[in-house]
Amino acid sequence: MTVEATALRSVLRPHASGVAVLTAHGTAGPAGVTITSFTSISARPALVSFALADTSSTWAAIKDCDWFGVQLLGAHQSGLAERFAATGADRFAPPTGWHTGPHGVPLLDDCLCWLVCSRHQQVRAGDHHLVVCAVEHVREGVPGDSLVHLHGGLRPVASSTPARI
């Protein structure tokens, strides 16, 4: 037996999560969604992961895709993060700037970096699908600070001297 979802969300609110947008060329064209579940898994081989809810309309559109784009968002992109989190929005319509990347993956403009990944492994985990991807292309984008999700909202992270771990 696990704790209730509301209790888990409440205690995790002070834990900062990086904000990214996941994209793919879905069944009806470009599809994408804001995610905070992106994480690096392994450097050798280069593996990353993301999780999407079973009920996500984006999951329905991309669940059979072989290629994904991950865009790490900068502090200046809170509007983009909100657009890709909004239900029913035409996320790729103006003012969203984007272009087609390797393997037909839609990539958003002006991000901190882009990763184009192939599906490596998928696991059903509770009410989510955890997808592990092999990173096959990377590109650095605009320099800047990160955007994080913290205490239920989006926050810029200012550069400072990082602690070594």
Side-chain angles (χ1 to χ4, degrees), residues 32-125:
V33 66
T34 299
I35 59 172
T36 57
S37 61
F38 173 76
T39 191
S40 173
I41 301 281
S42 169
R44 288 191 186 150
L47 300 174
V48 297
S49 71
F50 66 86
L52 284 182
D54 197 35
T55 57
S56 166
S57 60
T58 301
W59 175 249
I62 70 168
K63 67 181 179 178
D64 296 323
C65 291
D66 293 323
W67 295 94
F68 304 97
V70 177
Q71 287 89 174
L72 301 186
L73 299 191
H76 65 288
Q77 293 183 296
S78 60
L80 186 66
E82 290 168 352
R83 188 171 318 116
F84 274 78
T87 302
D90 184 353
R91 297 168 178 165
F92 288 90
T96 301
W98 66 282
H99 60 281
T100 302
H103 306 286
V105 172
L107 298 175
L108 304 176
D109 295 342
D110 301 322
C111 296
L112 297 180
C113 70
W114 298 266
L115 298 87
V116 176
C117 312
S118 62
R119 184 188 306 265
H120 178 73
Q121 187 176 8
Q122 181 179 321
V123 177
R124 175 84 187 241

Side-chain angles (χ1 to χ4, degrees), residues 15 19 32 42 88-89 91 138 154:
H15 177 72
V19 179
S42 169
R91 297 168 178 165
V138 295
L154 299 170

